[in-house]
Amino acid sequence: MERTWKDWQDTGAYRRLQELAKRPYDLTAPDALSKGGRLAEYICRTDIFSLHYATQRVDDQVLDGLQELADECGLVRQFAEMRRGAVMNRIAGLESENRQVLHTACRDIFSDEPVEPVASGQAKREIEKLETFLQELEKGKLCNEQGEAFTTMIHIGIGGSDLGPRSIFEALASFGQQEREVYFVSNVDPDAAAAVLGQVDLRRTLVNVVSKSGATLETLANERFIRRALIEADLDPSRHCLAVTGEGSPMDNPGKYLRSFHMYDYVGGRYSATSMVGGVMLGFYLGFEPVMDFLRGASLIDSGAENPLLRENIPLLLAMLGVWNHNFLGSATLAVLPYSQALHRFPAHLQQCDMESNGKSVTRAGRAVSTKTGPVLWGEPGTNGQHAFYQLLHQGTEIVPIEFIGFRRSQYTLDIEIEGTSSQQKLLANLLAQSVALAIGQKNDNPNRDFPGNRPNSILLADRLTPATMGALLALYEAKIVFQGFLWDINSFDQEGVQLGKALAGRFLRHMKGKKEQADTLETSILQEARLL
Ligand code: G6Q
């Protein structure tokens, strides 16, 4: 695509923001949070989520500057071009993947006039295939050798074919259909597959093998592992195994599988959870309609992300607040802390999505970047984290910006009231308390008990974690990551660092082939390969 954006450091907004960053808003000053109706004003409300950001070190001047920066760099325009099929996965003048980026098409299926008709049409066809498959399971047309229904699924996949789907499964576990269970195998560690095999009744199990390339060592090894177990149990793997893979990949072999589903090369692995990569497993577990709700939530965010107004566009706002903290105020990491046990694997998915996308040092023009790109991202659910690493967040020497995620209502109706409040209220109260305490701090003459404050954070709040909310949350972070990549002018859609790992493992394995004495082999192979690198 034609280069229509400015280098972000060559903008007037960049220089102004650099000046403003010398005196960022002081959250510890008296009335800092309530001044000028700040608490009520610094909220961005959309259909599903609201973002509360009064506890960030920004004021109107900074927000205006961030808006100008986003405008000058054409972030929303680039997002819209991406959704309409521009070839964005590329580095100009260098060999690169050279592809469109159309994960948004997986949920661009609810309008009669989708923004990218070809890709949305392909997505629709896969969804129809999924619906038929689920109906056949439901009606008993697809069943095991004994005529019994399948109750269990083993989802095999790694990286993008595992982290997104698994974190969504965990998030929505409370919405599962009766008599349906799902297990995951990702690591090539034999104990992982063995442990799952020890828990399932293979006769009633579907094995969902998910690999875009159809060539990933871990996934193929785990597929063989489970297929061997099926054969040993006198079961026919082609009646139990499903494939989700790229069109034309080595796994695109319908004769080998009960059903095959496709994803397309314009959907990157870490952005693939709303394709059949997540769809087959979620459909089996939740049923068809909840999957549609999940996609609808994601689609709402994609459309909203085309709003050019920073204060009304949550992913853009989160992206620019992130840039403010990371590039202008100098924070190296970002913590995402969900106050929801169901989201306990979500930071792991974000770690991949953010760090694999924006952990880059070369611009889209193939030159070395001259500013910091993606931060180190990490996180764990609260309140558990409060009893662990929050010490550093409050009093450490490293300032860690935080994105809290919370919900007004719980997923299950079961709760308990103790001393006038429910557990859900206690959870939310803790979130709010942490957000305020980190921002305003607390003076104490004893330096060891002094809390300096000015620790920037925001709260992403929704009513309840449902399939639609989860779809929205996923798409919201995808869009945020993409906006930041556009600003830093990097390609957020390739992953050469991951490819290197895949190639290296193959070289080391050649040394180990047929040898049982691992210790000796390890040393010689490290020496030999280090010489070749
Ligand atoms: C994601 C990465 C990577 C990939 C896995 C699995 O964007 O490319 O995490 O998803 O390596 O790849 P396959 O789906 O091809 O097995």
Side-chain angles (χ1 to χ4, degrees):
M1 66 178 281
E2 197 194 332
R3 192 183 169 90
T4 54
W5 56 89
K6 272 191 180 174
D7 182 336
W8 74 295
Q9 289 171 285
D10 288 341
T11 60
Y14 179 81
R15 286 185 292 276
R16 244 186 339 280
L17 285 164
Q18 266 191 319
E19 279 308 304
L20 291 170
K22 290 177 184 161
R23 289 171 304 280
Y25 189 78
D26 183 4
L27 295 164
T28 67
D31 303 327
L33 286 190
S34 49
K35 232 189 280 172
R38 182 182 168 96
L39 270 177
E41 201 190 315
Y42 283 6
I43 303 177
C44 175
R45 292 182 203 279
T46 60
D47 286 346
I48 299 183
F49 278 101
S50 54
L51 182 71
H52 302 246
Y53 58 98
T55 41
Q56 290 283 353
R57 302 197 67 185
V58 294
D59 55 17
D60 286 348
Q61 260 188 311
V62 171
L63 289 170
D64 291 344
L66 293 173
Q67 171 81 69
E68 272 170 56
L69 188 57
D71 292 344
E72 285 192 79
C73 295
L75 303 190
V76 169
R77 192 185 61 241
Q78 290 185 65
F79 185 84
E81 285 168 6
M82 180 191 87
R83 274 185 90 200
R84 283 157 188 78
V87 176
M88 292 216 147
N89 179 356
R90 69 187 284 263
I91 306 280
L94 295 180
E95 201 186 316
S96 59
E97 293 189 355
N98 221 9
R99 288 178 192 158
Q100 296 170 293
V101 177
L102 279 171
H103 50 278
T104 50
C106 299
R107 53 259 187 170
D108 179 22
I109 51 169
F110 298 104
S111 141
D112 293 336
E113 288 175 30
V115 295
E116 215 296 331
V118 179
S120 309
Q122 284 172 329
K124 246 187 185 157
R125 277 200 293 285
E126 291 305 309
I127 286 169
E128 282 160 12
K129 236 157 79 178
L130 175 67
E131 188 176 20
T132 310
F133 168 67
L134 295 176
Q135 281 168 355
E136 286 177 5
L137 284 178
E138 198 60 41
K139 292 187 181 135
K141 268 173 102 180
L142 281 179
C143 53
N144 73 1
E145 288 87 338
Q146 291 76 34
E148 296 164 315
F150 291 108
T151 55
T152 306
M153 177 173 276
I154 303 177
H155 177 109
I156 304 178
I158 196 164
S161 296
D162 166 64
L163 286 158
R166 195 192 294 225
S167 67
I168 297 159
F169 165 78
E170 297 286 346
L172 300 177
S174 63
F175 294 89
Q177 302 187 100
Q178 279 217 326
E179 296 218 351
R180 292 271 164 100
E181 50 182 8
V182 178
Y183 295 84
F184 292 83
V185 182
S186 56
N187 203 329
V188 73
D189 181 343
D191 290 345
V196 167
L197 281 175
Q199 294 178 72
V200 302
D201 175 358
L202 277 178
R203 287 174 310 145
R204 305 191 67 175
T205 298
L206 285 169
V207 182
N208 186 30
V209 189
V210 184
S211 174
K212 178 179 167 180
S213 63
T216 301
L217 176 133
E218 290 90 336
T219 302
L220 297 184
N222 282 323
E223 178 182 356
R224 295 272 289 268
F225 202 123
I226 308 284
R227 274 180 183 266
R228 187 184 64 187
L230 286 166
I231 292 166
E232 283 171 0
D234 267 338
L235 298 168
D236 175 0
S238 68
R239 290 192 65 167
H240 288 257
C241 293
L242 312 169
V244 180
T245 192
E247 234 186 359
S249 91
M251 255 176 67
D252 191 5
N253 177 359
K256 221 174 132 188
Y257 298 96
L258 178 66
R259 281 295 145 85
S260 290
F261 297 90
H262 285 132
M263 62 182 296
Y264 295 88
D265 69 353
Y266 48 70
V267 179
R270 56 193 172 275
Y271 296 96
S272 67
T274 52
S275 74
M276 285 304 116
V277 167
V280 173
M281 175 275 298
L282 289 172
F284 176 79
Y285 186 62
L286 302 172
F288 185 70
E289 276 315 314
V291 175
M292 290 297 102
D293 290 343
F294 167 69
L295 296 180
R296 235 175 250 119
S299 172
L300 264 180
I301 293 288
D302 294 340
S303 306
E306 291 198 15
N307 183 339
L309 296 179
L310 181 83
R311 287 171 168 87
E312 296 177 7
N313 179 339
I314 293 186
L316 183 64
L317 186 52
L318 264 186
M320 298 310 287
L321 290 171
V323 166
W324 174 247
N325 288 324
H326 186 54
N327 296 93
F328 292 97
L329 302 186
S331 301
T333 83
L334 168 69
V336 178
L337 308 176
Y339 275 63
S340 157
Q341 197 53 36
L343 286 179
H344 74 112
R345 289 296 294 166
F346 190 58
H349 162 66
L350 287 185
Q351 239 163 22
Q352 171 180 38
C353 203
D354 197 317
M355 291 162 72
E356 197 170 304
S357 297
N358 290 341
K360 307 284 166 65
S361 315
V362 168
T363 68
R364 288 181 285 181
R367 288 193 291 272
V369 296
S370 50
T371 56
K372 289 206 291 181
T373 58
V376 173
L377 188 152
W378 57 284
E380 273 287 316
T383 65
N384 299 23
Q386 286 175 214
H387 299 265
F389 54 82
Y390 277 41
Q391 166 61 37
L392 185 150
L393 301 184
H394 283 283
Q395 292 186 307
T397 50
E398 192 68 51
I399 304 282
V400 182
I402 298 163
E403 292 170 6
F404 290 110
I405 304 173
F407 302 94
R408 288 186 192 88
R409 292 194 293 144
S410 57
Q411 289 185 312
Y412 295 93
T413 45
L414 198 61
D415 199 342
I416 185 168
E417 200 169 298
I418 298 173
E419 292 177 10
T421 56
S422 66
S423 290
Q424 182 64 24
Q425 286 174 311
K426 291 180 177 72
L427 186 65
L428 206 53
N430 268 282
L431 189 174
L432 299 175
Q434 289 296 328
S435 166
V436 172
L438 286 157
I440 67 177
Q442 192 174 293
K443 289 273 152 277
N444 196 305
D445 291 341
N446 175 348
N448 198 40
R449 297 210 169 134
D450 187 68
F451 295 85
N454 271 329
R455 316 261 152 160
N457 66 83
S458 48
I459 303 174
L460 202 49
L461 200 60
D463 183 47
R464 187 164 172 254
L465 184 54
T466 62
T469 318
M470 190 58 214
L473 185 64
L474 185 89
L476 193 154
Y477 270 96
E478 287 175 356
K480 174 205 163 181
I481 291 163
V482 162
F483 281 134
Q484 291 190 330
F486 290 155
L487 184 85
W488 292 318
D489 193 15
I490 53 178
N491 180 1
S492 302
F493 311 110
D494 66 359
Q495 56 286 313
E496 294 297 334
V498 173
Q499 312 294 52
L500 175 71
K502 289 189 182 183
L504 281 180
R507 281 162 53 173
F508 273 74
L509 278 173
R510 283 203 301 275
H511 294 279
M512 294 181 181
K513 215 168 190 166
K515 297 180 190 150
K516 291 271 181 242
E517 293 301 325
Q518 305 254 335
D520 285 1
T521 326
L522 274 186
E523 247 171 60
T524 38
S525 45
I526 289 171
L527 282 175
Q528 287 179 17
E529 288 298 332
R531 265 183 236 122
L532 292 175
L533 270 177

